[in-house]
Amino acid sequence: ASWYLHRRTDGRWHYRNVKNVTSAIRDRADLMNDDARRKEVEAYLRKTFDPAGSTLQRVGDQRHAYQKLLVFPTIEDIKTDLGSNEVILVISQPSHAGLNPDLKTFWANETWRNRLMFLCGSETFTEVSRAAAYMKAAQDQVHEFVAQRYTDTQPEMQQARASLDRNSAAFRSALRETFTQLHFPDVSSGQLEVASLRLDFTGNEFVGQIAILDTLKDQQKYRSDVDSDRLRTEFEHFIFTA
């Protein structure tokens, strides 16, 4: 926490008249405005929840949960992309109210309601935004040292990379605690149902599309046994009510 304390190559600490790496990263983060922080979160969510996301073990499951992704869109953005053929995942900015009431009203009056899902949370956006700023600041500091030809053995570079690791972990933790609610249409009730979504970034192998697909399977919202007699029987019972 001491701004002017530095570690020398022999491991000893000493004071200098310039700020250290930790302070430089803090200054970068604090200067980042809300719009820039929001864009960092958007970029990360787009990458993490890419509809084409998969793993080596689940390569055949690409785009099964949804085919389009909208991150922090306006209602007009959703209207433009919504249609009968593709399912859209909308990631909305979290708030204490949960899913934005305007989005609920829009969904309730929409023709293609079964083509929409929403991911949000009940926590505020503040911690995610702050963590994104510190992660970006640490990334920029590392890139600056690389451009200045700092070696990996120099204390400043080691401190910058360690800070990047810490702040990246803090950002993923903030995401995990914030984006926890998946809202999806329920045919029986005609309402949006809510399921908990766990963002498990263990080993940096988290794939949002697969996590949502598995959640939908657990909720019987997605079925893969399309050739079974059981599904045919359930379908006939549901459709032929008279």
Side-chain angles (χ1 to χ4, degrees):
S2 180
W3 288 6
Y4 296 91
L5 190 63
H6 296 258
R7 187 187 289 274
R8 301 194 307 197
T9 54
D10 61 4
R12 295 182 179 182
W13 293 95
H14 68 115
Y15 281 99
R16 291 169 56 189
N17 62 347
V18 294
K19 292 182 179 180
N20 57 31
V21 173
T22 300
S23 177
I25 290 174
R26 184 189 300 116
D27 287 348
R28 286 176 184 266
D30 290 345
L31 288 173
M32 189 178 296
N33 61 35
D34 290 342
D35 187 55
R37 294 181 178 200
R38 177 188 168 105
K39 287 180 179 178
E40 287 300 316
V41 179
E42 285 185 33
Y44 193 91
L45 289 173
R46 284 196 182 94
K47 179 180 178 181
T48 303
F49 287 91
D50 183 350
S54 184
T55 65
L56 291 176
Q57 298 78 16
R58 305 282 296 276
V59 69
D61 290 343
Q62 291 171 314
R63 299 185 184 277
H64 282 192
Y66 49 92
Q67 293 76 52
K68 287 184 179 180
L69 172 67
L70 298 177
V71 181
F72 304 158
T74 65
I75 288 180
E76 290 302 317
D77 293 334
I78 302 174
K79 287 181 178 179
T80 299
D81 282 6
L82 188 58
S84 61
N85 295 322
E86 295 179 308
V87 175
I88 298 177
L89 173 66
V90 173
I91 302 182
S92 67
Q93 191 163 315
S95 70
H96 286 308
L99 183 60
N100 189 316
D102 291 339
L103 291 177
K104 288 183 179 180
T105 301
F106 166 71
W107 179 86
N109 294 289
E110 177 52 50
T111 301
W112 306 112
R113 290 189 298 173
N114 204 41
R115 294 292 179 263
L116 274 174
M117 294 186 293
F118 302 93
L119 176 62
C120 68
S122 58
E123 297 296 325
T124 64
F125 192 63
T126 305
E127 186 56 35
V128 172
S129 175
R130 177 185 177 278
Y134 272 79
M135 182 178 70
K136 173 63 174 173
Q139 288 173 345
D140 289 347
Q141 188 65 66
V142 170
H143 293 159
E144 182 178 296
F145 283 160
V146 170
Q148 294 173 354
R149 300 185 181 279
Y150 277 57
T151 66
D152 288 338
T153 59
Q154 288 181 263
E156 291 86 357
M157 179 62 88
Q158 292 176 346
Q159 292 166 25
R161 292 195 184 280
S163 178
L164 177 56
D165 290 341
R166 288 195 306 272
N167 286 300
S168 295
F171 175 64
R172 292 193 294 269
S173 178
L175 285 179
R176 184 169 55 245
E177 298 299 323
T178 302
F179 292 93
T180 57
Q181 298 177 356
L182 180 65
H183 298 252
F184 58 91
D186 179 67
V187 176
S188 300
S189 66
Q191 302 295 322
L192 282 170
E193 293 292 320
V194 183
S196 296
L197 181 70
R198 177 172 174 76
L199 278 63
D200 187 359
F201 291 99
T202 304
N204 295 330
E205 295 181 350
F206 176 79
V207 179
Q209 196 269 154
I210 296 296
I212 289 182
L213 179 62
D214 290 342
T215 300
L216 295 176
K217 286 181 177 180
D218 292 341
Q219 299 295 322
Q220 292 291 298
K221 181 62 181 176
Y222 181 92
R223 296 283 293 271
S224 58
D225 57 335
V226 295
D227 296 321
S228 69
D229 289 337
R230 176 184 176 186
L231 181 62
R232 179 189 298 274
T233 300
E234 291 182 22
F235 176 80
E236 291 175 347
H237 177 74
F238 182 80
I239 295 297
F240 302 118
T241 57

